Amino acid sequence: MEKELIINSTPTEVEIALLEDSKLVEIHYQKTNTNFTVGDIFLGRIRKLMPSLNASFVDIGHKKDAFLHYTDLGPKLKSLLSYTASAVAGNIKTHNLDHFKIQPDIIKTGKIDQVLDKKQFVLVQILKEPISTKGPRLSCEITIPGRFLVLTPFTEVVAVSKKIANADERKRLKLLVESIRPKNFGLIVRTAAEGKKVADLHEELNFMLEKWAEVHRQLFKANPPMKLLSELDKTSSILRDILNDSFNKIVVNDKELYHNVKGFMGSISPEQVNIVKHHRSAKPIFEVYGVTRQIKSSFGKTATMPSGAYLVIEHTEAMHVIDVNSGHKVSTGDQAQAVLAVNMESAEEIARQLRLRDIGGIIIIDFIDMRVAEHKKVLFAKIKEVMRKDRAQHTILPLSKFGLMQITRQRVRPEVKINTAEACPSCKGSGKISPSILLTDEIERDLEYILQSRPNSKLFLSVHPYIEAYLRRGLPSMQMKWYMKHFKWIKVKSENEYRLDEYNFFDGNQDEIRLN
C-alpha cells in the first residue's frame, strides 16, 4: 500500500490529508493559534470537587474548566502529587527518579475527595480536546510519546504493542527495553519499534528523558495554570505516529514548513528524507492531488460509492447512524450475492468514513438484510479487517438479529464536518445543490449502468450548454474517452432551459431513459 501525506499551509491553518493508494482516508486541521493539543502537559489547579460525579474540574487556562475523572487519575497519583509539590518548592533538584520514593497506589474504587483537595496543584495531560460545550478531558497518567517508545514516569511496567505478533520479536524487544529502562520509569514499546536495534531505542529514550527534564525545570516555582510541555505540531505528531516504510511521498506547499518537515524527518527517519517534496506549482496543492474532489464527494449526509450504492450518515445526540442503500443500480442475477457485494463494498467505505470524519462514540450500521448466515460471518470478518488500519481504539459487535452492527470508536477530537453544498447559480444562494465538481462522475455512473442494461440502444445525452462545451473540449474530449472505453458514440445535445446540474439520457426513439 502506498501512502502520501499532502500538507496545505495557509496563514491561518494547516490542512493535512493522508492518502492510501490515492484514496483520502484522513483529513486533519490545525489552527495556527490553537492552544490545546492532545498530549500537552499542564500544571493545573483544582477548581472544584464533584463527589456526585467522582470527578473534579481543573483550571488549565481554558475558557471552560477541564474535566478530570477519578478513573483517569491513575494508580500512581500519590507519587505524581508528591513529585509535583516537591519540584515546585525546589526540593527535588533533578528530573531523574532514582532516589524518588514511589508512594502506594490509590484504590480503583476510591472517591475523588479522598485523594484531591480544592486549590491543590496537579500535573495533568490533555486526554481529549474540547468537544462541543465540554472543556478538555484530562489524565494524571503522564506519558511522553516517541516514535518507537512511550515513557511513563512513576511506574516500572514494560509493555509491548499487541500489533507485534511475532513472539520472539516481542521477547527480544522486552529484554532490550528492560536493559535501558531508567529506575522508576516505565516504557511501552510501539509497533514501529519492530526490528529496531538497541541504539535506536536508546537514542529516543534519551530524547524523551530530556522532555521530562524540561517539565521538571519549568515546575520550579511555577504558578498554575501553566503549560509545561507542548505536544508536537499536528504535522510532526502525525508523522511520528504513522510514518512507516510504505510512505512514498510527503508534499508540502509552504517553504518554511517544508524545511521544518524535512528537518523532523531527518531526526526520526533519515533514510526517508528524500520523500519530502516542495510543491511549487501555482495550482492549489489539494487540487493537483485530487484531495478537493475527494473531500467534496466524501462529506455531507450522503456518500456514494463507485457501484452506485450509497451511505446515509446521520448524527444524533447519542450516536451516529449509517444506513446502507443499494441505489437503483444494484446488479441483477443472484440476489443474495448482489446484496453481499454491496455490503462488502459498504464495509470498506464505512471504515474509511469513520477515519475521515473521525466519528467517535456509538455507531449503528444498518446493512442491507442478508438471509444467508455465512454471508453475515463474511461481512463481520470484512469490517474487522478494514478497521485494522484505524489507529483509534474500537470495538465491533457481530450483526444483531435485526441486521444492525454496533461499533464503538474512541473519541479524541471533535468530528470533522465539512459543508459540501454550494450556492445554486440559478437562485443566487436561496437553495443548495450537490457539489458541481461531481456532476461528470454522476453522468458517467449513469452511463455505465445504461450501457449494461441496454448495450445495443442508441444514446443521446441532453445537458446545459456549459456542460456540453466541457464534455466536448480537449483532445481527447470526455465524449471521445467514452467512445474509446465503451465503443459507442454518445451524442451530446445542449438544452438552454436546463439547470447547470440537470441532465437526461434519451434512447433512439427520443424517449427519456428514467433511472429512478
Side-chain angles (χ1 to χ4, degrees):
M1 178 187 295
E2 290 189 348
K3 289 186 179 180
E4 298 171 303
L5 207 63
I6 313 301
I7 304 168
N8 179 36
S9 177
T10 69
T12 56
E13 67 178 1
V14 177
E15 301 171 289
I16 306 158
L18 174 63
L19 307 181
E20 291 180 356
D21 292 332
S22 299
K23 201 166 189 179
L24 181 66
V25 294
E26 289 183 25
I27 185 89
H28 299 267
Y29 295 90
Q30 183 180 31
K31 299 283 185 184
T32 52
N33 60 350
T34 184
N35 294 320
F36 292 88
T37 304
V38 171
D40 286 355
I41 297 175
F42 284 81
L43 180 64
R45 189 197 302 270
I46 303 295
R47 177 91 78 178
K48 189 187 298 182
L49 295 174
M50 301 290 290
S52 59
L53 298 174
N54 206 16
S56 64
F57 288 97
V58 184
D59 177 17
I60 60 169
H62 190 259
K63 60 184 178 182
K64 285 188 174 290
D65 286 341
F67 183 77
L68 177 61
H69 194 269
Y70 187 90
T71 54
D72 293 319
L73 295 176
K76 301 296 181 183
L77 176 70
K78 289 182 179 178
S79 299
L80 179 79
L81 294 175
S82 172
Y83 180 87
T84 303
S86 298
V88 170
N91 298 329
I92 295 180
K93 305 297 184 185
T94 174
H95 69 281
N96 291 325
L97 302 178
D98 294 2
H99 304 295
F100 179 76
K101 186 178 179 182
I102 299 296
Q103 304 294 315
D105 292 2
I106 63 171
I107 59 174
K108 290 183 178 179
T109 55
K111 299 298 180 183
I112 196 80
D113 52 3
Q114 295 171 346
V115 292
L116 290 177
D117 298 316
K118 192 175 180 182
K119 296 186 178 179
Q120 185 175 6
F121 292 5
V122 61
L123 196 64
V124 290
Q125 190 166 28
I126 303 285
L127 192 63
K128 293 183 181 179
E129 291 180 14
I131 297 174
S132 185
T133 58
K134 301 174 183 176
R137 182 158 182 167
L138 304 177
S139 170
C140 285
E141 295 189 271
I142 305 299
T143 59
I144 299 177
R147 189 180 174 206
F148 307 129
L149 302 170
V150 178
L151 184 71
T152 57
F154 312 114
T155 76
E156 295 201 337
V157 175
V158 172
V160 181
S161 168
K162 293 178 182 178
K163 291 184 179 179
I164 300 177
N166 187 294
D168 291 337
E169 178 63 7
R170 291 174 64 86
K171 187 176 180 181
R172 182 188 77 88
L173 287 168
K174 192 161 187 176
L175 287 171
L176 285 182
V177 169
E178 281 282 15
S179 69
I180 62 175
R181 181 184 64 80
K183 187 178 178 182
N184 290 332
F185 283 95
L187 287 170
I188 300 168
V189 182
R190 305 185 74 173
T191 311
E194 191 168 7
K196 297 299 177 184
K197 298 177 181 177
V198 68
D200 298 323
L201 303 181
H202 197 264
E203 182 183 357
E204 184 170 85
L205 175 60
N206 288 334
F207 178 69
M208 292 187 294
L209 284 170
E210 183 54 40
K211 286 189 174 182
W212 176 247
E214 178 63 23
V215 171
H216 171 263
R217 280 193 292 271
Q218 293 202 64
L219 276 173
F220 180 57
K221 294 186 177 178
N223 186 30
M226 179 180 176
K227 184 188 285 190
L228 303 177
L229 185 69
S230 182
E231 176 61 293
L232 297 167
D233 62 78
K234 186 74 79 173
T235 306
S236 300
S237 63
I238 289 171
L239 282 173
R240 181 195 65 200
D241 292 343
I242 68 176
L243 183 69
N244 56 37
D245 295 338
S246 64
F247 264 87
N248 67 322
K249 192 182 290 183
I250 299 170
V251 191
V252 191
N253 70 333
D254 180 78
K255 191 172 183 179
E256 183 181 348
L257 185 57
Y258 161 72
H259 288 299
N260 291 345
V261 171
K262 202 159 187 177
F264 182 73
M265 287 289 289
S267 66
I268 67 167
S269 184
E271 67 278 7
Q272 289 181 283
V273 167
N274 292 334
I275 68 174
V276 184
K277 309 291 181 189
H278 182 208
H279 177 76
R280 292 184 173 88
S281 170
K283 195 171 183 182
I285 187 171
F286 272 13
E287 282 191 28
V288 171
Y289 290 93
V291 176
T292 302
R293 175 180 283 271
Q294 291 197 55
I295 288 173
K296 292 283 189 181
S297 64
S298 300
F299 286 88
K301 181 179 175 180
T302 304
T304 305
M305 292 168 280
S307 68
Y310 61 95
L311 307 175
V312 178
I313 303 171
E314 298 269 16
H315 170 63
T316 71
E317 190 66 28
M319 67 186 73
H320 283 80
V321 182
I322 302 175
D323 185 35
V324 177
N325 293 276
S326 63
H328 56 269
K329 306 182 185 71
V330 67
S331 59
T332 55
D334 188 336
Q335 189 69 22
Q337 285 296 332
V339 168
L340 177 63
V342 170
N343 282 340
M344 295 287 274
E345 183 186 22
S346 300
E348 286 198 32
E349 182 62 19
I350 287 167
R352 172 175 168 263
Q353 287 287 340
L354 296 185
R355 290 176 67 190
L356 187 58
R357 302 181 188 221
D358 208 3
I359 294 174
I362 300 171
I363 300 125
I364 305 294
I365 306 167
D366 182 12
F367 284 103
I368 301 173
D369 290 341
M370 295 183 294
R371 300 185 182 277
V372 182
E374 187 60 34
H375 287 181
K376 294 181 181 180
K377 292 179 183 177
V378 170
L379 178 62
F380 181 52
K382 177 70 173 179
I383 196 96
K384 287 202 294 185
E385 176 196 337
V386 293
M387 287 285 286
R388 281 196 192 103
K389 301 173 192 172
D390 196 338
R391 289 179 292 137
Q393 294 179 12
H394 56 268
T395 304
I396 307 169
L397 298 183
L399 286 164
S400 71
K401 67 185 204 175
F402 296 122
L404 303 176
M405 182 174 286
Q406 301 169 68
I407 298 177
T408 60
R409 186 175 182 274
Q410 180 187 23
R411 194 203 317 262
V412 175
R413 63 186 177 121
E415 179 190 346
V416 178
K417 293 181 180 178
I418 299 175
N419 184 10
T420 59
E422 298 177 358
C424 174
S426 301
C427 63
K428 307 298 182 188
S430 63
K432 298 289 183 182
I433 62 170
S434 298
S436 57
I437 194 172
L438 303 177
L439 179 62
T440 54
D441 292 354
E442 293 175 12
I443 292 173
E444 283 197 67
R445 273 199 296 267
D446 286 349
L447 175 61
E448 289 190 8
Y449 174 71
I450 292 169
L451 290 174
Q452 286 175 8
S453 59
R454 44 174 82 191
N456 300 319
S457 180
K458 278 187 178 182
L459 289 181
F460 299 87
L461 172 63
S462 294
V463 292
H464 187 278
Y466 285 175
I467 305 301
E468 183 209 18
Y470 177 78
L471 296 176
R472 292 177 180 274
R473 75 169 187 173
L475 283 175
S477 65
M478 190 163 285
Q479 194 178 19
M480 292 173 69
K481 287 179 184 176
W482 291 344
Y483 178 76
M484 290 185 282
K485 182 178 180 180
H486 303 292
F487 302 106
K488 182 181 274 298
W489 186 254
I490 312 301
K491 189 171 181 180
V492 181
K493 300 187 300 182
S494 66
E495 296 289 348
N496 292 327
E497 68 274 13
Y498 273 24
R499 301 186 312 272
L500 185 67
D501 63 337
E502 185 178 359
Y503 66 92
N504 287 296
F505 284 96
F506 296 87
D507 60 19
N509 298 321
Q510 295 299 310
D511 292 328
E512 183 182 345
I513 300 172
R514 296 186 179 275
L515 296 172
N516 293 322

